């Protein structure tokens, strides 16, 4: 089970100091320590609209994010709070509270635009908080949404960054939730009740016409409809009498408006239940990549961020896989193994587990480059284990030979066999000791080779004893020499067979490893294909709904432009042929 990250309170993630956005390194350390899936909820809105109160409620706390009570923006930059997800076990909820937009002390909107863009790029659910109703003033205050294509690049290709290319942005952008505070209107149309979502969609209806005024009216609405096909709206009554609002967090629940309490509970329940896991993991890498791009005067590029994140995540996935392999081999392997196949079987089991670890932790491994790197490293470690196994066997056998044959060598030095019939006694003793050597278990794969070399090194001793043995006839000597040669030839033949067998086992193991990689790769690509198909179908359905809505409202030109997005998505879906056809 991955460890939980539970900060006692919020901390600064991105500081806004003298108009410069600077990442807090301590916050990055916290984010890099998160190993669980992450749900990121960011809130943006004009200053002094109660954003921090809602975020504290999502954290399940009464206090946390600072609630100011003056006309100045209280939160500066972007603050974060990491807590265990209340409704999703083994998930981390990251709440991002942003600097209030339109602060009278800042004088320009440059930083506001970047804060708005960063909140969208980092979150899986984006909450826009405003006061009152959705009127033209509210839309004018939301002008930041019309600047998104000026602030963010979907990919690194030049000349492909406009509202008409919204399909490229939708795959990266979060769900959109508009919260309306101190809402006093009755939710009804022509005397019939409507939902807050209906109210939002009615407010996003476009105006017919191509004049400047119609364009100014339609632009923010069109951007919201195109960039955020998944959207939701919540309305909130006044929380308490105005004189108590400055100390809202200090009020007891019974002092608050019951309708407001119920609306906040409904909002929190929806956000916690419906906010998706952030598709791009490695939140600390995203923060650093985007802020560095802004600081260097460039536009944050989502495609480049994905590639940079993939490099980091996949390199770490390879390291995790190798560490798991070495841990498993260290626990399972006892050198020397009795046979080479025993070692290769243990390697194959550990290799399969290591590949599973990599697949679980990898992210967009384009062309399986990192999986191939993993395969090469696992093969190198297998070869290293084979060398270690061979050396351990040799060392073990050498020590065993010294222990078993040492007394025989001492007898030869003492002249025990330098007498008639001594040669025969020597060979009999030698055979007894060879049998004793063979009976000792777990000598490893070098047992025969080491014994062969040892006996070859003692052939001069045997020849000397044979020459001094006066009891042997010349004929017997010749027979004995032929017998020794025959034994040597047989031993050489067996050794060659052993070498061939080892080579065959190694080739078989390489083939099995290759097939295992292909199997894992096929399953991974099939899962990715299914996921991509599901995402494309979901996006297509949303786009078709939007097109239908535009047609009903009579905006045929907008509908035609939207058809381009639909065609792009359909072409992408057709290109996602089954993995079996690719391989």
């Amino acid at each position: 089970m991955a460890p939980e990250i539970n900060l006692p309170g919020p901390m600064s993630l991105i500081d806004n100091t003298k108009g410069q956005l600077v990442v807090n390194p301590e916050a990055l350390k916290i984010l890099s320590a998160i190993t669980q899936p992450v749900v990121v909820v960011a809130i943006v809105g004009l200053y002094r609209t109660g954003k921090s109160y809602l975020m504290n409620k999502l954290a399940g706390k009464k206090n946390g994010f600072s609630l100011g009570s003056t006309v100045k923006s209280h939160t500066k930059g972007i603050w974060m709070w990491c807590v265990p997800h209340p409704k999703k076990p083994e998930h981390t909820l990251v709440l991002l509270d942003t600097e209030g937009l339109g602060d009278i002390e800042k004088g320009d909107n440059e930083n506001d635009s970047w804060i708005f863009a960063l909140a969208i790029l980092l979150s899986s659910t984006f909450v826009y908080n405003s006061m009152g109703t959705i009127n033209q003033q509210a839309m004018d205050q939301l002008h930041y949404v019309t600047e998104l294509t000026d602030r963010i690049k979907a990919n690194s290709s030049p000349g492909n960054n406009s509202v008409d290319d919204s399909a490229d942005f939708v795959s990266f952008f979060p769900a959109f939730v508009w919260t309306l505070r101190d809402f006093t209107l009755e939710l009804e149309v022509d005397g019939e009740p409507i939902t807050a979502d209906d109210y939002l969609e009615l407010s996003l209806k476009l105006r017919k016409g191509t004049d400047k005024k119609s364009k100014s009216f339609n632009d923010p609405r069109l951007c919201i409809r195109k960039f955020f096909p998944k959207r939701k709206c919540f309305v909130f009554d006044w929380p308490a009498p105005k004189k108590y609002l400055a100390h809202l967090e200090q009020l007891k629940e019974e002092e608050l408006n019951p309708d407001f309490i119920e609306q906040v509970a409904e909002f929190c329940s929806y956000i916690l239940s419906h906010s998706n896991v952030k598709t791009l993991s490695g939140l600390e890498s995203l923060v650093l990549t985007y802020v560095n791009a802004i600081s260097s005067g460039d536009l944050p590029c989502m495609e480049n961020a994905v590639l940079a994140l993939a490099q980091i995540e996949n390199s770490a996935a390879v390291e995790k896989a190798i560490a798991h392999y070495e841990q498993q081999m260290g626990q399972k392997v006892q050198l020397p193994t009795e046979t080479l196949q025993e070692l290769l079987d243990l390697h194959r089991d550990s290799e399969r587990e290591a590949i599973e670890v990599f697949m679980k932790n990898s992210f967009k491994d384009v062309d399986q480059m990192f999986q191939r790197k993993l395969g090469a490293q696992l093969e190198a470690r297998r070869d290293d284990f084979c060398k270690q196994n061979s050396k351990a066997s040799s060392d073990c056998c050498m020590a065993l030979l010294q222990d078993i044959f040492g007394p025989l060598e001492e007898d030869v030095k003492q002249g025990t066999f330098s007498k008639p019939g001594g040669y025969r006694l020597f060979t009999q003793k030698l055979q007894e000791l060879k049998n004793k050597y063979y009976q000792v278990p777990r000598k490893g794969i070098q047992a025969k080779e080491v014994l062969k070399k040892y006996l070859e090194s003692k052939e001069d001793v045997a020849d000397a004893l044979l020459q001094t043995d006066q009891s042997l006839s010349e004929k017997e000597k010749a027979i004995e020499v032929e017998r020794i040669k025959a034994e040597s030839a047989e031993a050489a033949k067996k050794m060659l067979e052993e070498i061939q067998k080892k080579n065959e086992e190694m080739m078989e193991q390489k083939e099995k490893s290759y097939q295992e990689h292909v199997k894992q790769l096929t399953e991974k690509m099939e899962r990715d294909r299914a996921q991509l198909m599901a995402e494309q179908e979901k996006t297509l359905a949303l786009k078709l709904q939007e097109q239908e809505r535009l047609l009903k409202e009579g905006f045929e030109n907008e509908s035609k432009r939207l058809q381009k997005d639909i065609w792009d998505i359909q072409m992408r879906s057709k290109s996602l042929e089954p993995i079996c056809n690719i391989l």
Side-chain angles (χ1 to χ4, degrees):
M1 181 182 295
E4 285 188 347
I5 300 295
N6 191 358
L7 293 181
M11 67 185 303
S12 174
L13 173 61
I14 301 173
D15 294 320
N16 185 4
T17 306
K18 296 181 180 179
Q20 294 294 319
L21 301 178
V22 181
V23 178
N24 178 9
E26 293 302 315
L28 290 184
K29 288 181 182 179
I30 298 295
L31 291 178
S32 64
I34 299 176
T35 57
Q36 297 178 336
V38 173
V39 175
V40 185
V41 179
I43 192 166
V44 170
L46 296 179
Y47 69 98
R48 297 304 309 127
T49 54
K51 302 185 305 297
S52 300
Y53 179 84
L54 289 180
M55 298 304 268
N56 288 339
K57 286 299 180 181
L58 287 175
K61 305 292 184 181
K62 193 170 185 179
N63 299 299
F65 289 110
S66 177
L67 277 67
S69 57
T70 67
V71 294
K72 295 182 179 180
S73 175
H74 215 251
T75 302
K76 297 296 181 183
I78 298 179
W79 283 63
M80 74 170 190
W81 196 353
C82 304
V83 296
H85 199 291
K87 291 194 175 184
K88 296 181 180 179
E90 297 187 34
H91 284 61
T92 297
L93 176 64
V94 177
L95 302 172
L96 301 180
D97 190 14
T98 61
E99 178 176 333
L101 306 178
D103 187 353
I104 55 177
E105 290 189 346
K106 284 189 289 191
D108 66 74
N109 293 325
E110 182 74 12
N111 273 76
D112 285 350
S113 297
W114 285 126
I115 292 289
F116 189 92
L118 282 172
I120 287 176
L121 289 170
L122 298 176
S123 63
S124 47
T125 294
F126 175 82
V127 180
Y128 180 70
N129 191 70
S130 67
M131 302 294 287
T133 60
I134 302 179
N135 52 24
Q136 191 54 39
Q137 180 183 359
M139 284 294 176
D140 291 341
Q141 291 169 345
L142 194 50
H143 65 88
Y144 307 100
V145 75
T146 66
E147 303 170 3
L148 284 176
T149 56
D150 298 326
R151 300 287 171 180
I152 301 169
K153 292 191 293 184
N155 54 58
S156 54
S157 302
N160 187 27
N161 220 41
S162 68
V163 175
D164 290 335
D165 300 306
S166 61
D168 294 327
F169 290 90
V170 168
S171 60
F172 290 98
F173 277 11
F176 179 85
V177 177
W178 195 330
T179 53
L180 298 168
R181 310 296 292 275
D182 303 344
F183 188 82
T184 57
L185 294 181
E186 290 293 332
L187 285 175
E188 60 179 37
V189 174
D190 298 330
E192 295 294 327
I194 61 172
T195 65
D197 293 337
D198 295 332
Y199 175 68
L200 173 60
E201 296 307 316
L202 288 171
S203 301
L204 295 179
K205 288 187 68 173
L206 304 180
R207 175 185 293 174
K208 292 183 179 181
T210 57
D211 58 286
K212 185 176 180 181
K213 189 174 182 181
S214 295
K215 185 177 184 303
S216 176
F217 179 90
N218 289 338
D219 278 353
R221 291 168 171 82
L222 185 61
C223 287
I224 293 174
R225 292 168 68 143
K226 284 206 167 192
F227 289 141
F228 304 105
K230 182 181 179 182
R231 46 190 181 261
K232 182 77 175 171
C233 182
F234 289 93
V235 298
F236 300 87
D237 289 339
W238 282 83
K242 188 174 181 179
K243 62 181 180 179
Y244 297 122
L245 294 182
H247 307 287
L248 187 61
E249 75 276 12
Q250 298 174 7
L251 296 180
K252 297 178 181 178
E253 188 162 317
E254 56 267 22
E255 296 177 304
L256 296 173
N257 181 349
D259 290 337
F260 175 77
I261 295 174
E262 182 179 344
Q263 290 158 351
V264 170
E266 181 184 353
F267 165 79
C268 291
S269 176
Y270 175 85
I271 295 295
L272 296 176
S273 299
H274 291 80
S275 295
N276 296 325
V277 170
K278 181 67 176 173
T279 306
L280 299 179
S281 56
L283 193 56
E284 76 285 355
S285 300
L286 292 178
V287 172
L288 208 53
T289 300
Y290 291 142
V291 173
N292 286 344
I294 294 171
S295 299
S296 65
D298 201 357
L299 299 183
C301 177
M302 292 178 287
E303 182 182 57
N304 290 345
V306 170
L307 294 176
L309 182 60
Q311 180 78 22
I312 295 170
E313 292 293 309
N314 290 329
S315 295
V318 170
E319 292 180 4
K320 288 180 182 178
I322 292 298
H324 181 83
Y325 171 85
E326 292 180 338
Q327 179 192 43
Q328 292 300 306
M329 290 293 282
Q331 292 174 354
K332 296 175 181 178
V333 176
Q334 182 180 354
L335 300 179
T337 58
E338 193 66 44
T339 63
L340 175 61
Q341 190 59 48
E342 179 185 343
L343 177 63
L344 294 179
D345 288 343
L346 292 172
H347 159 78
R348 189 170 61 252
D349 291 342
S350 300
E351 179 187 48
R352 184 176 60 253
E353 292 183 22
I355 294 172
E356 290 174 356
V357 169
F358 172 80
M359 291 297 184
K360 182 179 178 181
N361 292 278
S362 63
F363 172 73
K364 292 189 179 298
D365 183 16
V366 179
D367 298 329
Q368 291 70 53
M369 180 179 71
F370 285 91
Q371 187 173 351
R372 290 197 296 272
K373 285 184 179 180
L374 172 63
Q377 292 189 35
L378 289 172
E379 186 173 338
R381 278 162 173 76
R382 180 202 61 200
D383 293 344
D384 185 56
F385 267 106
C386 288
K387 290 178 182 178
Q388 291 181 43
N389 192 41
S390 181
K391 184 178 185 304
S393 176
S394 296
D395 293 345
C396 174
C397 293
M398 290 297 294
L400 184 60
L401 287 174
Q402 186 61 38
D403 184 50
I404 291 176
F405 289 89
L408 179 63
E409 293 179 8
E410 189 61 33
D411 286 343
V412 171
K413 291 178 182 179
Q414 297 298 325
T416 303
F417 304 105
S418 300
K419 59 183 180 181
Y423 176 76
R424 185 171 296 279
L425 290 173
F426 173 78
T427 56
Q428 289 176 350
K429 186 66 175 176
L430 191 65
Q431 188 60 46
E432 291 175 5
L433 295 179
K434 284 166 62 177
N435 292 337
K436 183 178 180 181
Y437 173 85
Y438 286 133
Q439 291 171 2
V440 177
R442 298 203 68 80
K443 296 183 296 295
I445 60 175
Q446 292 296 105
K448 293 181 180 179
E449 176 69 14
V450 171
L451 178 61
K452 176 177 175 291
K453 289 182 178 179
Y454 175 80
L455 295 177
E456 288 175 350
S457 70
K458 301 302 177 185
E459 285 180 355
D460 291 343
V461 175
D463 290 344
L465 290 175
L466 181 59
Q467 291 172 6
T468 59
D469 191 339
Q470 300 299 319
S471 66
L472 291 177
S473 65
E474 289 301 321
K475 184 178 180 180
E476 288 174 326
K477 289 182 180 179
I479 293 172
E480 188 65 20
V481 169
E482 288 301 321
R483 186 187 66 78
I484 293 173
K485 288 182 179 179
E487 284 187 356
S488 298
E490 182 64 24
K493 180 182 178 182
K494 289 183 178 179
M495 181 53 58
L496 181 60
E497 291 175 351
E498 285 291 326
I499 292 173
Q500 290 176 341
K501 184 179 178 182
K502 290 178 184 177
N503 289 337
E504 290 174 359
E505 290 174 346
M506 289 293 288
M507 291 302 294
E508 182 182 352
Q509 172 60 27
K510 285 186 177 181
E511 177 61 22
K512 288 180 179 179
S513 295
Y514 170 76
Q515 292 299 332
E516 185 66 29
H517 278 275
V518 171
K519 177 184 175 184
Q520 295 277 356
L521 172 59
T522 302
E523 293 174 353
K524 171 73 172 177
M525 291 180 70
E526 187 58 34
R527 287 195 300 271
D528 289 348
R529 186 191 73 83
Q531 183 180 353
L532 283 171
M533 284 291 291
E535 290 177 358
Q536 293 284 13
E537 289 174 2
K538 183 177 179 182
T539 303
L540 178 60
L542 291 170
K543 289 291 181 180
L544 288 171
Q545 290 176 6
E546 183 65 20
Q547 184 184 41
E548 183 179 354
R549 184 183 296 117
L550 286 169
L551 287 172
K552 287 181 178 179
E553 294 171 7
F555 294 96
E556 294 183 1
N557 291 335
E558 296 300 333
S559 174
K560 289 179 181 178
R561 281 197 289 270
L562 187 61
Q563 182 61 37
K564 176 180 177 293
D565 292 348
I566 295 172
W567 186 85
D568 287 343
I569 295 169
Q570 290 172 335
M571 289 301 100
R572 294 176 190 171
S573 297
K574 289 181 180 178
S575 68
L576 295 174
E577 61 182 3
I579 189 66
C580 60
N581 295 340
I582 297 174
L583 298 179

